[in-house]
Structures are given as C-alpha cells and as structure tokens.
Amino acid sequence: MKRNLLTMFFVLAMGLSAQAQPVKVVKQVDFSQVKIADGFWSPRLDRHVLTTQPVCIDQIENQTDRIRNFINVAKGEGKHSGIFFDDSDVYKAMEGIAYSLINHPDKKLEAKADEWIDIFANAQLEDGYINTFFTLSGLDKRWTDMDKHEMYCAGHMIEAAVAYYQATGKDKFLKVCERMVDHMMSLFGPDKRHWVPGHEEIELALVKLYELTGKEKYLDFAYWLLEERGHGHGFMPNGRWNITYYQDAVPVRELKNIGGHAVRLMYLFCGMADVTAYKETGYIETLDELWHDVVDRNMYITGGIGQTATNEGFSEDYSLPNASAYCETCASIGMVLWNYRMNQFTGDAKYFDVVERAMYNGVLSGINLRGDRFFYVNPLESAGKHHRQAWFGCACCPSNITRFLPSIGNYIYGISDNALWVNLFIGNNASVKMNDQELPVSMQTNYPWDGNVSMTLGKSMGKKEVRLRIPGWCKAVAISVNGKPSNYTQDKGYAVISRKWKAGDQVELRLEMPVEQVSADPRVKEDAGMCAIQRGPLVYCAEAIDNADSYDKFELTPSTKFTTCSLGGILNGIQGITADNGQQMLRLIPYYAWDNREASKMKVWIKKK
C-alpha cells in the first residue's frame, strides 16, 4: 500500500493532472501488496537478501571500479574503468536494493542506497548529463554513437529511481533522472536530432517515469523513440550499423520476423507494450504475431531464447543447438517481462505459460543454489567445462537477477473490474485492491513439487469471478470450493468460477503432475531422436556425476518408468526423478540446479528408442 500512496502524494504535490487509465484487460497487483511465504521461493528470497545482494554491492564497490567511476567524475579526476555501459549494473543493483527495502525494510541498506544516490547526484553535469564513460573519456564524443548505451544506462537509472521513490518517498534520485531526461529531450525529438537507441530500455523506463509523475512529455518521448526505428536514422561512426541486430530494419509496427540481439528485442517489445497502454499504437497486433515467431520457432524448452553467441541472439527458425545455446539469463528475464505485459492486454494464459517456463528454468538457472555465483549463458548441454562465475566483465546478468528476484510477487495475481486472476502458484499472503476495497488473499502450496494449491479469501467480495490459470502442461485438473467440486467455465486457458464470494471461502486446485517425455518439433534437427523430461513447470536434466555408468548409454523407451525422489547434499529439498528403462537407470535433477556440485557433463535431451 505504501508504494501506491507515495505515488498518489507525488502526483498531487506536483500539481499534475491524472493521466489516462491503461487500456488493459488485466491490471497488476504490485509485489508490495504480496508477502511471499513459500517453501520453494522464500529460501531463495532470503538468500537474495543475505547473499546475492551483498555480493553485488561488494563487486560494485570493492572488486570492480563501477562506483569508483562515479566518484572520479565528481572529483574531476581519474580514468574510466571497465565497459562503457557499466553504469547500468550499478543502477540495476540499486533497483534491487529498492525492492528489498519494500519487502524487508533495513535502515543500514537504505543508508547505503542514499550514499550511492549522493554519488550519482555529484556525478551529474550542469546540463543534466550523467554517464561516467563519456564524462571521463571525452564529452566531445557523447551522443555520437547510437550503440554506446547512453540511453540504455539512463533507462536503468530511471527504473532504479522510480523504485527507490516508491520504496522510501525520497525524490533526490528521481530529480537526477528528470534532469537527464530533460537534457536528452533538449537534443532529440520532433524537429530536433534523430536518435535510435542501440540497446532498448529507455522506452519502458520513460513510461514508468510518466506513470509516477503524470508528465505527458515522458510518454511522448518514449513513443517518439519507438517510432524512430526503421527509417534509416541509425548510425555508428566506427562500424556498420546492422539494422537487423539493432531492430532498425522496418518501423516497429511493421515487424514480421524477429532478429538480432535477444535482450534488446525483449526490451523493445516491453516498451511497445507499455506505450500502448496509453496511446493508440497498433503495436499489440504486431507483438502477438511476433510472439509466435519467438515461442513457436525460436524458444528452447527451458524458456531460453537466443541461439548464438555471434549476435547474442537469434539465428534461423527451428535451429536450436544445445551445447552452443546462448540463452542469456537477461533474455529469459526479458521473456518474463514481455509475456507478463502481453497477458495484461489479452487476458490469455498462454503468455503466463511462458512466464512460468522462463522463471523456473531459464531465469533460475542463472544463479546457483547458494546465491553467490551466476551464469551469463545457459546451454542445454555441457561437456563439463561451463560453470557459474562470481562475476563477469560484462555483468548485466548478475545485476539483472538481483533486481528480478525480489519482484516475483508482481506475477502472481491480476485484477479486472469483475475478476481476480491467479497466474502463478506461489505461497503468499496478499492484499488485493478490487473496486476500491481491500481483499485479503492467502495461498498455500508445495508447488512446483506437487500440483495442489489452496487459496482462501479473507473478505466477502460479492458476485465476482476467480480465474485460475490452468498451465498448458497440465492434462487433468480438479477444482473445489469449500471442499465441494465446483463448476467452472474455461476461457483462454483460465478456469473461471463465478459466484458470490464470502469471507473464508476456500478454493482448492489440483493439477495432475506426472513425469512426461517431451519431443521437440520435428523441424528441430538438433533434437531428432531425443526427448526431454518435464514434470509440472520444471525441465529436468542429467548430470554425469549422478550417472557414471548410464550417462552416455541410457535410452528412453515408451515403457520407461519414472519415480520422484528426494535429493541430498546441497540439493537437499529438491525433488529429482529416476528413470528406469528395464536395463539401466538414469537420475535427473531440475535444470535450474545443475552445476552446483563438482564439474560434470550435463544434457537436457536424452536419446530414445
């Protein structure tokens, strides 16, 4: 509730007019209204606070010069260290700090954030510009190369500042951002200079700034930047501007096929969706068509995208190599962000099927079980030489993980005028605002280890719908209300229960969750003659460390028997699967949990007879 009240106060205090309401079928229930209490996710969130976040802060302050770059700018001395977009890692970590403060208020952590904000403010130039690379390397070169991520860094700064204001009510960082945006808008826009951001991100950030402040100019600037693409404006002084790689081949509403850098594409799609919430753009029809290109022809079973390291992105349709799969962690996070938005516009559960697949597999594989080591690349097969690292020279993935994990409560519930939407099955206690009334909701579940979900409503809400997402992997479902089987209709992947709801009403959902052998599309040559093992939302893999005699020899058959088993050691609390084909046995673990023990070969796709 704190975030919503602070936002309202800011708008009123600034004398701003209320902006138009988003044109969405489903509206967000903010994670600040959702307290996670879940056997699967709560330990991860605890490790995020105790381990992952301190690791990121230590890397930024002590192990690298990322914060030192800002200090050098303020002092007017020293050289820039690192990559030209390293500022963005600091901002993403800052956003993660803000989200942690919402979930777990901590005066010491807040003081650390305020310390950083003072450093940012001191590094801002008189004209509003803030970017340590160009300030330390030569201001004469700023705004001369569209690939140098100036607007990308500014976008992550804006997202962090909005999050910190919502967490604390402090606006110093927000004012830094507004000065930077005003600087950019003094140079670029209608009747000014053209600009095509080489790495998208600023577009969705500007919409967040508009939503907080109500200032239409930010929304208009975001829309202008999107419309700049595909008109021949892109350039870079030292190299060839690849119009496919930079999503600059055609105007965005005319896109028919995906291509280029996977993370940039996801952020572009998010920006298009966010602007559409407030303007008639025609983007959603385009995005829905592009969704099929991504999901049907270029997505891995883990929810990962981006086949090649060459462009950190897409290659040919149905070409999905496993050992060389790029599947950047940031791209899987991007899949969550984009598909979540598409669900809000359409009310179609197919988008949350992708959110869930990416979250439990492609995103979670990006961080180890202890919370202190990371994957940048997430292949589906390994010869035993691919391992998580403590940090990276290009550290976008660790910093992205640290802002994503504390915000997972965003994706559980949605609301519309007549319905409560249940999208993910994560134990929680929430306060959902429907028709200006607070509705307490609690959920208990052992998901993803079993498919039993119990949800209790804490207050009467009259005649309304409860819409429960039935995952695409689920072949059989049972639903009861107050212990009795319930009638329901089906709509776009949701089970819809309509009735007069009373305080204490309990909904029970039972999703059948057998182990399944999943075959790839026949056009995916790399997976011909193989199957992957999936149970519920989790994709499984085999590591040679568990299968000394059978790793290279085991074959799946139609009669292979599967049993679930509890794992020990560092994998304690995780359910594995044992496959028995009558001659040999193969032990499998969830894909997200691989490379947490000693070095070992790994594979997702397994030979079948």
Side-chain angles (χ1 to χ4, degrees):
M1 191 65 183
K2 183 178 181 182
R3 299 179 79 192
N4 295 335
L5 289 174
L6 287 171
T7 300
M8 183 182 300
F9 174 78
F10 184 86
V11 173
L12 293 174
M14 296 297 291
L16 303 172
S17 59
Q19 61 266 48
Q21 291 300 306
V23 184
K24 295 180 180 179
V25 174
V26 188
K27 298 176 184 178
Q28 175 186 16
V29 174
D30 190 87
F31 74 88
S32 63
Q33 313 301 308
V34 181
K35 179 69 174 178
I36 303 295
D38 183 80
F40 184 86
W41 286 102
S42 290
R44 284 164 175 77
L45 297 180
D46 290 342
R47 283 193 293 274
H48 174 268
V49 172
L50 298 173
T51 303
T52 308
Q53 193 163 259
V55 163
C56 287
I57 292 173
D58 180 60
Q59 288 287 344
I60 287 167
E61 290 190 329
N62 304 314
Q63 307 304 318
T64 71
D65 289 326
R66 280 167 171 78
I67 202 71
R68 171 60 57 183
N69 286 329
F70 288 94
I71 295 171
N72 286 348
V73 170
K75 290 182 176 181
E77 62 184 30
K79 296 181 179 180
H80 184 273
S81 175
I83 308 174
F84 56 84
F85 51 77
D86 277 355
D87 290 3
S88 64
D89 295 332
V90 185
Y91 298 140
K92 281 183 280 185
M94 181 70 187
E95 187 178 353
I97 288 172
Y99 293 155
S100 286
L101 291 174
I102 292 170
N103 294 327
H104 305 281
D106 182 327
K107 290 297 183 182
K108 185 177 180 181
L109 185 62
E110 185 174 339
K112 172 59 66 178
D114 289 338
E115 176 188 329
W116 282 13
I117 290 169
D118 287 340
I119 293 172
F120 301 153
N122 290 333
Q124 187 166 36
L125 303 186
E126 286 295 321
D127 64 2
Y129 185 78
I130 177 169
N131 183 288
T132 67
F133 175 76
F134 283 101
T135 307
L136 292 172
S137 303
L139 280 171
D140 59 313
K141 297 182 179 65
R142 63 176 173 170
W143 305 122
T144 61
D145 190 334
M146 293 179 177
D147 186 48
K148 279 295 187 283
H149 292 46
E150 286 162 282
M151 286 193 180
Y152 170 80
C153 290
H156 279 302
M157 179 175 66
I158 291 167
E159 287 201 87
V162 169
Y164 194 67
Y165 176 81
Q166 292 171 326
T168 66
K170 299 175 182 178
D171 66 355
K172 183 174 183 177
F173 194 14
L174 203 62
K175 290 178 179 177
V176 170
C177 292
E178 292 205 76
R179 288 185 63 206
M180 176 58 167
V181 176
D182 288 343
H183 164 78
M184 292 189 291
M185 292 181 67
S186 72
L187 300 174
F188 309 106
D191 302 321
K192 299 174 186 175
R193 289 178 57 186
H194 292 292
W195 194 261
V196 179
H199 195 314
E200 298 90 336
E201 154 66 19
I202 183 65
E203 302 86 353
L204 66 92
L206 285 167
V207 178
K208 285 189 176 182
L209 189 59
Y210 160 68
E211 289 172 336
L212 179 63
T213 66
K215 295 181 181 179
E216 293 274 353
K217 64 180 183 179
Y218 301 141
L219 177 65
D220 292 340
F221 191 40
Y223 183 52
W224 180 84
L225 287 168
L226 291 169
E227 290 294 301
E228 279 285 274
R229 296 182 176 275
H231 299 288
H233 302 316
F235 74 89
M236 52 197 304
N238 300 309
R240 183 177 69 88
W241 180 263
N242 185 321
I243 58 175
T244 299
Y245 179 81
Y246 295 108
Q247 292 87 41
D248 192 31
V250 298
V252 292
R253 66 169 52 80
E254 296 176 18
L255 284 168
K256 301 296 182 185
N257 301 290
I258 61 169
H261 191 281
V263 180
R264 301 177 198 223
L265 192 71
M266 291 300 101
Y267 289 175
L268 170 64
F269 291 171
C270 288
M272 291 169 66
D274 286 347
V275 169
T276 299
Y278 302 99
K279 285 183 176 289
E280 290 290 339
T281 64
Y283 292 163
I284 294 302
E285 295 79 5
T286 298
L287 290 173
D288 186 61
E289 184 176 341
L290 292 167
W291 183 87
H292 288 284
D293 199 13
V294 176
V295 173
D296 297 345
R297 297 183 281 277
N298 291 279
M299 184 181 76
Y300 285 85
I301 191 171
T302 57
I305 56 170
Q307 297 99 314
T308 71
T310 306
N311 63 353
E312 294 188 306
F314 300 99
S315 58
E316 297 179 2
D317 288 349
Y318 303 107
S319 176
L320 297 170
N322 293 304
S324 62
Y326 202 70
C327 293
E328 185 180 335
T329 301
C330 286
S332 291
I333 292 174
M335 283 288 276
V336 173
L337 299 177
W338 173 42
N339 280 274
Y340 156 68
R341 286 164 164 83
M342 291 300 291
N343 173 268
Q344 289 185 304
F345 281 104
T346 64
D348 196 323
K350 70 180 183 182
Y351 297 111
F352 257 98
D353 285 347
V354 177
V355 167
E356 181 179 72
R357 182 174 296 277
M359 274 183 63
Y360 281 91
N361 301 287
V363 175
L364 273 189
S365 64
I367 185 169
N368 69 347
L369 297 176
R370 291 192 178 94
D372 59 359
R373 301 184 75 82
F374 309 90
F375 273 150
Y376 192 106
V377 178
N378 295 271
L380 280 73
E381 183 178 341
S382 171
K385 297 181 180 180
H386 183 74
H387 306 294
R388 292 180 177 84
Q389 298 180 32
W391 198 249
F392 301 90
C394 173
C396 55
C397 294
S399 55
N400 221 351
I401 282 276
T402 199
R403 73 173 183 142
F404 175 78
L405 285 176
S407 68
I408 62 166
N410 273 338
Y411 310 107
I412 300 174
Y413 300 111
I415 56 169
S416 57
D417 289 342
N418 195 48
L420 172 66
W421 304 64
V422 183
N423 292 310
L424 294 180
F425 310 114
I426 298 173
N428 70 88
N429 296 294
S431 180
V432 178
K433 191 171 184 178
M434 292 186 65
N435 303 123
D436 297 323
Q437 291 187 339
E438 297 293 334
L439 173 67
V441 183
S442 64
M443 184 185 297
Q444 297 81 38
T445 182
N446 193 35
Y447 199 86
W449 308 125
D450 68 47
N452 300 327
V453 181
S454 177
M455 188 176 72
T456 304
L457 303 180
K459 183 187 289 186
S460 173
M461 63 174 184
K463 184 70 178 290
K464 291 286 188 294
E465 295 175 351
V466 170
R467 290 178 167 249
L468 306 168
R469 182 180 67 91
I470 307 304
W473 53 259
C474 183
K475 306 299 189 295
V477 60
I479 299 175
S480 64
V481 176
N482 298 330
K484 297 179 180 179
S486 175
N487 294 325
Y488 62 89
T489 59
Q490 298 185 49
D491 182 38
K492 294 183 179 180
Y494 288 91
V496 184
I497 309 169
S498 181
R499 55 176 282 154
K500 288 185 177 181
W501 297 94
K502 301 186 297 293
D505 279 350
Q506 186 176 66
V507 181
E508 292 186 343
L509 175 67
R510 297 186 182 278
L511 305 169
E512 197 168 285
M513 194 182 281
V515 178
E516 293 187 295
Q517 299 185 42
V518 181
S519 297
D521 187 294
R523 288 166 286 192
V524 181
K525 296 178 181 179
E526 294 89 346
D527 299 332
M530 295 188 286
C531 281
I533 303 303
Q534 181 173 317
R535 181 172 183 264
L538 297 179
V539 174
Y540 281 72
C541 67
E543 285 192 292
I545 186 176
D546 298 315
N547 303 283
D549 298 324
S550 60
Y551 183 84
D552 293 315
K553 301 175 183 177
F554 185 89
E555 292 184 330
L556 293 164
T557 67
S559 59
T560 295
K561 295 181 178 179
F562 300 96
T563 55
T564 58
C565 56
S566 297
L567 303 175
I570 193 173
L571 305 183
N572 184 40
I574 294 175
Q575 288 189 11
I577 294 173
T578 299
D580 185 347
N581 65 8
Q583 296 179 322
Q584 290 181 314
M585 299 179 70
L586 190 72
R587 176 68 59 84
L588 301 112
I589 65 171
Y591 171 76
Y592 74 78
W594 81 279
D595 194 47
N596 274 277
R597 298 170 290 177
E598 63 186 77
S600 178
K601 294 192 290 186
M602 180 279 297
K603 60 185 176 183
V604 168
W605 293 94
I606 301 164
K607 290 184 292 185
K608 66 177 180 181
K609 282 190 177 181

